[in-house]
Amino acid sequence: MSDQRAEVQDALFDWIDAVLKENGFPCEVVWDDTGGVRPKPPFVSLQMIGGSRSSFPWKSRVDPNTGERKARFDMRKTVSIHCWGERCMERLDEIADSISSDKYRRMLRKRGLVVAAITDAVLSAEDRANGTESHGYFDIAVTYIRVVSEEVGWIERVAIKSNLIADTEISLGNRKEEQNG
């Protein structure tokens, strides 16, 4: 998992944890892909279930000092938010309602995320060994920018062979060296 994916997951976790605690619904929040022990209900589980990226990223100019160029991809990920146990739909409603709150939108925006879409919550009952358990979920689409750096380098020497002019060699030194030299 890339560092940026972990940052996105941390931001989503912090947002949902804050919403639940600040609105009187404290419970454990976990990611489905951690492989840990299932918490006792009530709890909220999160899962990144897919997404897309722009196929043609914006690319910066090559930095003359480092030879690096940055590419920015518009990312869109679908995150499934599940709640298990008593009052699960109330917890999900608090999370869904928080998307329109300036406070929580700013919280996500500071971390580089925007919730772009949300589905309706669905309620179901899960059969468990100790009885039936309430379960509800909805999905959100989250957008963010992914920045990737690549070392392009630069051309230092070009040889030109021509019948019109004498053979010439041109040296294109590092701009930093030329400025200091």
Side-chain angles (χ1 to χ4, degrees):
M1 174 170 39
S2 74
D3 288 341
Q4 193 162 23
R5 181 181 168 113
E7 290 171 16
V8 169
Q9 287 183 324
D10 288 347
L12 292 170
F13 177 94
D14 293 346
W15 159 55
I16 290 172
D17 191 51
V19 167
L20 294 172
K21 284 179 180 170
E22 292 171 12
N23 292 288
F25 293 103
C27 68
E28 192 166 352
V29 179
V30 298
W31 280 95
D32 272 357
D33 60 357
T34 59
V37 177
R38 184 180 194 269
K40 288 184 179 180
F43 70 94
V44 171
S45 66
L46 310 173
Q47 182 181 27
M48 268 197 207
I49 57 174
S52 63
R53 72 167 60 202
S54 56
S55 56
F56 297 103
W58 171 87
K59 291 187 177 183
S60 69
R61 292 183 177 186
V62 176
D63 183 321
N65 297 317
T66 64
E68 283 188 355
R69 174 174 56 200
K70 296 188 185 301
R72 286 187 3 201
F73 294 91
D74 295 323
M75 304 294 290
R76 184 178 182 103
K77 296 289 181 192
T78 300
V79 179
S80 192
I81 302 171
H82 294 256
C83 186
W84 306 85
E86 64 184 43
R87 300 177 72 191
C88 70
M89 289 307 286
E90 291 175 67
R91 283 180 170 81
L92 290 174
D93 286 342
E94 284 295 332
I95 296 167
D97 292 346
S98 77
I99 293 169
S100 62
S101 163
D102 288 341
K103 174 184 176 179
Y104 296 113
R105 279 200 332 244
R106 276 193 304 270
M107 178 184 195
L108 289 169
R109 189 66 121 145
K110 284 180 183 177
R111 307 279 288 270
L113 301 177
V114 173
V115 176
I118 181 171
T119 65
D120 288 334
V122 175
L123 177 64
S124 66
E126 296 283 324
D127 288 327
R128 299 306 240 184
N130 56 351
T132 303
E133 182 176 74
S134 293
H135 168 238
Y137 69 94
F138 66 88
D139 295 337
I140 59 173
V142 179
T143 61
Y144 62 97
I145 303 293
R146 177 170 169 76
V147 178
V148 178
S149 295
E150 64 178 331
E151 190 171 318
V152 178
W154 49 78
I155 299 170
E156 293 184 22
R157 190 174 300 263
V158 176
I160 301 172
K161 296 202 178 245
S162 170
N163 291 334
L164 300 175
I165 57 174
D167 290 345
T168 307
E169 191 167 299
I170 301 171
S171 180
L172 305 171
N174 185 340
R175 289 185 183 175
K176 192 174 185 179
E177 290 175 10
E178 290 176 5
Q179 291 171 355
N180 295 334

